[in-house]
Amino acid sequence: MYTKKVMKHFQKPKNYGEMKDADAIGTAGNERCGDILKIYLKIKNNKIQKISFETFGCPAAISASDVLCELCKGKTLKQALNITAKDISEYLGDLPKLKQHCSVLGKEALKKAIEDYKKN
Amino acid sequence: MKVYLDNGATTKLDDSVTKAILPYFNEKYGNASSLHSKGQEAKMALEESREIIAKKLKARPDEIIFTSGGTESDNLALKGVAQLHDSGHIITTKIEHPAITNTCKELEKQFEVTYLDVDKEGFISLHQLKNSIKPNTILISIMHANNEIGTIQPLKEIGEIAKEHKILFHSDAVQSFTKEDINTKKINIDLISISAHKIHGPKGIGALYVKNKTKLKKQILGGKHEYNLRAGTENVSSAVGFAKAVQVSNKKDIKHMKKLRDYFITNILKIKHTKLNGPKERLCNNINLSFAYIEGESIGALLDAKGICSSTGSACSSKELKASAVLEAIHLPPEYINGSLRLTMSKFTTKEELDYTLEELKKIVEKLRKLSPLGK
């Protein structure tokens, strides 16, 4: 059902875990299937220095979260906001149609985290 | 290690079943409706099979109608009864198999349907059943053992209520057949759906028990096969396999599964925030658990990576992105509903396989909880 790449990021995600000293946190929930994603950011000079996630969800949601973190590393906030659900899906080598919505979730959480950072 | 714990979905053929079926492909391949010796040879095998299956239900052979499986049996029972009426009222439950639920939804165009609630363990209320009966109720359809949470409904009591009000009673017994006793001499029941592939028989064959003199509107038209209730050349090889599977089923296997089931449940509940869905006294091979704060499809995918086949009722895993209707009907708390896992054993399941599953499952739950933002 899933590509090898999805399974790799799902089984061995690199970027998971709570970040105690995060500068910004963003949470997004997908009501369609109940996934919940939390993004933690450490920001320096407008750049994402560290990023991690916590996800409640299916393999697609977890792997998409991990990939989003991977793609965000070292990016400026503006560059990070430009990452699309399609970028994540393509990086994973295509998600099943039914699971495409899982890759949208990460972007929402990231956007919220950056908005949260800008407010403070 | 390879562990198959999805026997509620389907089972492996018993070796004796495979052996029994094979001659009917290239030796005894006659059409059971043909009058020549090749045909009569097949006919005899078909009727012997019917007799074996009838005996298991303490029924008469002419009360067994072979179908293509549980789904067709359910369709024949429900539509077969309903379509003899212009209008009327049907009672079923909120936890039926889609073969019943979706047939009822279709029938709603012409008939009124009541879907009975169930309690936290999945049992219907006999009181609610009685109160739901109307003067125009034509059929009660209540499943025997639930396919997801293993709840076994009291067929005898339901049958008595149906008899008292002179309403036909059907039960989908696909999951319970040969695992639980169903004695049509002792309980009042008019129609029973059963299937072969859940009991180590072949896929593509089932049967509907139709109590003597019960009238049904034929659904598949053609020749006058199956007492003129189901047309189509008889699937003799599969019928032989079905009968063999029934013949080899036994009490010892059930005891074996019950023992393993209780062993597994006791040990898995040691994991914190884990819940058993369904009652303690349940179908012998059914285990349904919910692990709070994590998602069922992820649990299943990690189990699969370790060689363990399971199934889940989580929303993510379904094609409609909807959580299991059964788990919703038992009002499972939200933090538990998407973290469900169904493990269904067979007579081939061993303690070693369950120990391996326990060990891997503990690691998986811990791992996914680390990834989850919930429950912290």
Side-chain angles (χ1 to χ4, degrees), chain A residues 34-80:
Chain A
D35 291 344
I36 298 163
L37 168 59
K38 208 168 176 178
I39 289 276
Y40 298 90
L41 295 177
K42 186 89 194 143
I43 300 166
K44 203 176 176 183
N45 298 332
N46 230 24
K47 264 189 180 175
I48 295 173
Q49 211 183 21
K50 260 166 74 185
I51 177 166
S52 69
F53 76 91
E54 285 182 312
T55 296
F56 164 87
C58 65
I62 290 173
S63 61
S65 308
D66 195 44
V67 167
L68 174 75
C69 293
E70 207 62 45
L71 294 176
C72 280
K73 275 183 198 166
K75 296 262 165 65
T76 65
L77 297 183
K78 201 180 160 199
Q79 284 170 329

Side-chain angles (χ1 to χ4, degrees), chain B residues 210-263:
Chain B
V210 183
K211 193 194 223 162
N212 186 27
K213 289 178 186 152
T214 306
K215 285 200 170 63
L216 289 178
K217 171 99 192 304
K218 192 171 172 177
Q219 298 295 315
I220 294 179
L221 308 180
K224 291 195 188 313
H225 313 84
E226 297 299 311
Y227 304 99
N228 203 18
L229 279 175
R230 200 269 186 187
T233 298
E234 296 91 341
N235 187 351
V236 178
S237 60
S238 295
V240 168
F242 191 1
K244 193 70 195 175
V246 170
Q247 228 169 13
V248 298
S249 66
N250 63 73
K251 289 219 161 76
K252 211 181 114 207
D253 289 340
I254 292 163
K255 231 175 134 183
H256 166 75
M257 287 187 272
K258 276 187 177 164
K259 210 174 140 189
L260 288 181
R261 175 198 68 189
D262 295 338
Y263 168 75

Side-chain angles (χ1 to χ4, degrees), chain B residues 261-372:
Chain B
R261 175 198 68 189
D262 295 338
Y263 168 75
F264 190 91
I265 290 172
T266 306
N267 281 290
I268 202 69
L269 289 179
K270 287 177 187 163
I271 299 179
K272 271 187 192 163
H273 310 296
T274 302
K275 210 181 158 302
L276 175 71
N277 299 321
K280 197 165 174 276
E281 286 297 319
R282 60 204 287 140
L283 192 63
C284 63
N285 71 334
N286 176 287
I287 300 167
N288 191 309
L289 304 156
S290 273
F291 302 94
Y293 318 126
I294 58 177
E295 194 276 325
E297 193 193 331
S298 283
I299 305 170
L302 290 176
L303 280 172
D304 193 31
K306 294 288 174 189
I308 303 161
C309 296
S310 63
S311 86
T312 173
S314 88
C316 291
S317 70
S318 84
K319 285 187 179 121
E320 302 88 22
L321 298 175
K322 265 191 200 157
S324 140
V326 176
L327 298 181
E328 278 182 351
I330 61 168
H331 299 295
L332 197 63
E335 68 269 31
Y336 283 97
I337 204 154
N338 276 323
S340 83
L341 180 75
R342 183 186 76 164
L343 302 170
T344 38
M345 303 175 297
S346 81
K347 62 178 177 181
F348 299 121
T349 307
T350 66
K351 184 172 176 288
E352 289 67 37
E353 289 176 344
L354 291 189
D355 281 334
Y356 171 71
T357 306
L358 275 169
E359 197 183 311
E360 291 303 328
L361 197 48
K362 278 178 198 162
K363 287 189 230 163
I364 288 167
V365 171
E366 198 181 326
K367 181 180 173 170
L368 289 172
R369 281 187 178 160
K370 266 188 198 158
L371 291 181
S372 173

Side-chain angles (χ1 to χ4, degrees), chain B residues 113-154:
Chain B
V113 183
T114 298
Y115 299 88
L116 298 176
D117 295 318
V118 293
D119 66 14
K120 278 181 178 171
E121 294 190 326
F123 291 104
I124 62 147
S125 141
L126 293 172
H127 185 70
Q128 197 196 5
L129 170 62
K130 276 185 214 164
N131 286 342
S132 302
I133 294 171
K134 299 179 181 196
N136 65 341
T137 305
I138 52 170
L139 177 68
I140 296 170
S141 177
I142 293 173
M143 77 192 323
H144 192 201
N146 183 264
N147 49 317
E148 291 187 39
I149 57 172
T151 311
I152 299 164
Q153 305 295 343

Side-chain angles (χ1 to χ4, degrees), chain B residues 103-210:
Chain B
T103 305
C104 282
K105 271 189 198 149
E106 177 73 19
L107 288 170
E108 273 183 51
K109 288 175 187 166
Q110 200 182 337
F111 300 86
E112 191 192 342
V113 183
T114 298
Y115 299 88
L116 298 176
D117 295 318
V118 293
D119 66 14
K120 278 181 178 171
E121 294 190 326
F123 291 104
I124 62 147
S125 141
L126 293 172
H127 185 70
Q128 197 196 5
L129 170 62
K130 276 185 214 164
N131 286 342
S132 302
I133 294 171
K134 299 179 181 196
N136 65 341
T137 305
I138 52 170
L139 177 68
I140 296 170
S141 177
I142 293 173
M143 77 192 323
H144 192 201
N146 183 264
N147 49 317
E148 291 187 39
I149 57 172
T151 311
I152 299 164
Q153 305 295 343
L155 292 191
K156 194 166 192 294
E157 286 78 359
I158 298 167
E160 277 162 18
I161 293 170
K163 193 177 180 182
E164 197 185 311
H165 293 85
K166 296 192 176 74
I167 301 166
L168 290 177
F169 173 33
H170 164 254
S171 184
D172 177 334
V174 165
Q175 292 288 339
S176 63
F177 182 54
T178 72
K179 294 185 180 77
E180 288 287 322
D181 255 346
I182 307 172
N183 186 336
T184 57
K185 289 275 178 296
K186 285 194 178 153
I187 52 175
N188 170 63
I189 189 158
D190 305 284
L191 302 151
I192 306 169
S193 300
I194 56 176
S195 172
H197 78 104
K198 309 286 191 193
I199 60 165
H200 308 286
K203 292 164 188 63
I205 190 154
L208 182 66
Y209 159 81
V210 183

